[in-house]
Amino acid sequence: LCLALYGGTPRLRQAPGREAPLPDVEGETLNTADPRTLLRRGTASGHAEVDFLGRDGRRYRARWAVRRAREKADGKLQKIEQSLTDLDSDRLLTTQKREFDRLLPERLGLSFEQFTRAVLLAQSEFAAFLKADDNERSDLLERLTGTAEYSAISIAAYRRASDAKRAVDALETRLADD
């Protein structure tokens, strides 16, 4: 899921020695945090793909793919390809990394960090969620449950009640003076 949606995994992002070189074909090296290292040895290509329902109610497909040159197992690794497709209109939205990185969180409603905290809680990240500060946890839960508008209403109601209480206090003070 993480690879298809965000082009990385929590394991790779937390890899010790992220800059340590790993040997590849033809004397090439990769660092340990490179998601292309997930391609199984001896294969010419691989991909991860996931369909999801966006915040806007539309269906999307996120795809991450990597291949070796000439589709040969001993070919040089090529650049990662990511794409986002609107399945409802059967329209390819982007194949550009920068555009993908902008569009996906808009459609999904979660950043990589929020996704890994919320969706992957059962996979040893539950303690991190519990240790997060109240504001961080609250923000994440509001995004997941779609209750951000209720928080805004609550804040507005609190401000209005505070203003009304100040007005009443001022009137009571004037009344006491009379």
Side-chain angles (χ1 to χ4, degrees), residues 129-161:
F129 175 76
L130 291 176
K131 291 176 184 173
D133 68 35
D134 290 342
N135 290 335
E136 202 174 298
R137 215 173 23 244
S138 174
D139 180 51
L140 179 59
L141 290 173
E142 283 178 3
R143 283 175 168 269
L144 291 175
T145 59
T147 58
E149 61 270 7
Y150 298 113
S151 291
I153 291 168
S154 173
I155 290 167
Y158 177 80
R159 285 184 184 146
R160 190 169 175 190

Side-chain angles (χ1 to χ4, degrees), residues 52-60 86 88 93 106-109:
F52 65 93
L53 186 64
R55 290 175 44 183
D56 56 3
R58 298 181 69 81
R59 295 175 310 122
Y60 296 95
D86 182 330
D88 290 338
L93 298 177
E106 286 177 6
R107 301 305 192 272
L108 193 58

Side-chain angles (χ1 to χ4, degrees), residues 30-47:
L30 302 168
N31 73 42
T32 57
D34 190 328
R36 296 178 299 172
T37 61
L38 296 174
L39 182 63
R40 189 173 62 99
R41 299 277 182 228
T43 58
S45 65
H47 73 275

